Amino acid sequence: MKLLTELFVAKDAEREEQQKSEPAPSGTDEKQDNSDLIGKELMIDNRRYLIESVGKISGDVSMRDITFQNNVGFPINRVEKVGYVRRLLEQAEKETQPEEKTKSPAVPTTETVAEYCCCLFILTSNKSD
């Protein structure tokens, strides 16, 4: 019996060493840290939401409805899965990036107030003739 116990202990030690040397398959032992989501704002159904918490086991994202809170005066929450929320944030990021790149600097106006007033004076004085 003692020999059998020693055999199991040796086999367990061998497995532990093997597991340490092999990377864990994605999505099994190491869960993605979702703390980066907390505090971000996003739009769902034309409503602004603030992410307040993410469930570590369930993957539920709890969001406060800012639009409702600003209109009614008290908050309500909405819960969505973390995958859905990440997709929405990625889409929002993709939509805002092209807009920022296409913005052109404002063209300065060279017309002065004196020129504008002079033009108005000329236009109005021609009408009275």
Side-chain angles (χ1 to χ4, degrees):
M1 184 73 161
K2 190 174 182 180
L3 182 62
L4 188 60
T5 306
E6 290 174 4
L7 214 87
F8 278 114
V9 169
K11 193 65 172 169
D12 286 342
E14 186 181 318
R15 282 190 193 132
E16 285 178 13
E17 286 299 318
Q18 187 178 11
Q19 287 176 350
K20 287 179 185 176
S21 65
E22 294 177 2
S26 62
T28 55
D29 292 336
E30 297 179 18
K31 295 267 183 181
Q32 184 177 7
D33 182 27
N34 292 309
S35 61
D36 63 317
L37 295 176
I38 297 173
K40 290 192 175 185
E41 285 189 17
L42 69 148
M43 293 284 288
I44 304 174
D45 302 329
N46 293 326
R47 302 185 79 77
R48 279 182 42 222
Y49 290 92
L50 175 68
I51 298 174
E52 294 185 322
S53 66
V54 181
K56 293 185 181 194
I57 296 173
S58 64
D60 288 341
V61 178
S62 179
M63 303 172 288
R64 181 170 16 114
D65 188 336
I66 298 170
T67 306
F68 185 87
Q69 183 177 2
N70 290 343
N71 290 332
V72 179
F74 60 92
I76 60 170
N77 283 16
R78 176 175 179 160
V79 177
E80 296 289 349
K81 291 294 182 186
V82 71
Y84 176 67
V85 171
R86 284 202 179 274
R87 278 194 306 274
L88 289 174
L89 288 170
E90 287 173 7
Q91 287 174 355
E93 191 175 303
K94 287 178 185 176
E95 290 173 2
T96 57
Q97 284 177 350
E99 291 175 10
E100 292 172 3
K101 291 178 184 176
T102 59
K103 285 184 180 177
S104 60
V107 178
T109 306
T110 57
E111 185 176 272
T112 63
V113 175
E115 290 174 29
Y116 181 73
C117 290
C118 182
C119 291
L120 282 177
F121 176 74
I122 293 170
L123 288 173
T124 55
S125 64
N126 287 340
K127 287 184 181 179
S128 62
D129 289 340

